[in-house]
Amino acid sequence: MRLAYQYRLRPTKQQIATFESWLELCRRQYNYRLAERFNWWEQNRCDIDRCSLEVCHIPQLKDKPNYYSQKRDLTNTKALLPDYKDIPSHTLQDVVARVEKTFDRWLKGDINSKKSGWRSLWQRRKGRGGEYVTIDRRSTRGN
């Protein structure tokens, strides 16, 4: 039983250019959100077993960026950067969900509970796919 359909789109050159710019903006958003989480990790971790509490100052913990806080921040991104207004909101929310999954896998580690090192950022040669849930009839006309 088939539960979902996949359609092959034959976009025009203008649509290809739009999709390429969307992918570039999604790549930038992914890298920014992932860096935001790694910065939180670096600023809030403290090697308690390696220093005395009398000598070492433990700074006040900052709020952890999670899926919902980063998703709420997408409205600020769209307000400050006009290029992001054209991208459907569910596509940007999918980027934040991918960041959540990546960071959680990095925190969890492998089978031996060893961290796998810094996760590579989304590079141009990677991540050529994306989810476009809302496709109107204009984009499939003539296909």
Side-chain angles (χ1 to χ4, degrees):
M1 178 192 310
R2 185 171 260 204
L3 299 176
Y5 293 98
Q6 289 184 347
Y7 296 97
R8 180 173 177 86
L9 297 178
R10 294 181 186 92
T12 62
K13 290 183 181 183
Q14 181 182 9
Q15 290 172 334
I16 290 173
T18 301
F19 290 152
E20 289 293 326
S21 69
W22 285 4
L23 279 173
E24 177 64 23
L25 291 172
C26 286
R27 183 185 68 84
R28 290 180 186 173
Q29 192 65 220
Y30 178 89
N31 291 342
Y32 175 77
R33 300 295 175 185
L34 191 60
E36 189 176 38
R37 289 178 184 236
F38 281 133
N39 288 340
W40 170 85
W41 176 260
E42 284 294 320
Q43 292 172 358
N44 289 317
R45 70 182 182 134
C46 179
D47 299 327
I48 303 253
D49 62 335
R50 297 198 181 115
C51 66
S52 144
L53 291 177
E54 297 168 359
V55 177
C56 237
H57 171 68
I58 299 176
Q60 184 177 357
L61 297 178
K62 294 181 173 52
D63 291 335
K64 178 183 179 187
N66 59 12
Y67 173 73
Y68 298 105
S69 68
Q70 288 186 329
K71 193 169 111 173
R72 261 192 317 269
D73 193 42
L74 288 175
T75 55
N76 295 336
T77 302
K78 285 190 168 195
L80 294 173
L81 303 168
D83 293 340
Y84 286 95
K85 289 182 182 177
D86 297 335
I87 301 176
S89 59
H90 54 76
T91 304
L92 289 174
Q93 291 170 3
D94 180 57
V95 169
V96 174
R98 290 175 191 225
V99 168
E100 174 88 6
K101 191 184 297 185
T102 300
F103 191 72
D104 287 346
R105 285 182 183 165
W106 179 80
L107 277 179
K108 184 178 178 183
D110 62 1
I111 295 172
N112 300 324
S113 297
K114 294 183 179 176
K115 301 246 186 299
S116 58
W118 290 97
R119 183 75 178 175
S120 64
L121 299 177
W122 192 5
Q123 299 169 358
R124 287 179 195 254
R125 66 181 181 276
K126 293 182 182 178
R128 299 302 298 170
E131 290 189 15
Y132 303 104
V133 180
T134 309
I135 297 179
D136 57 355
R137 292 189 185 272
R138 290 176 301 194
S139 40
T140 57
R141 199 173 282 153
N143 289 330

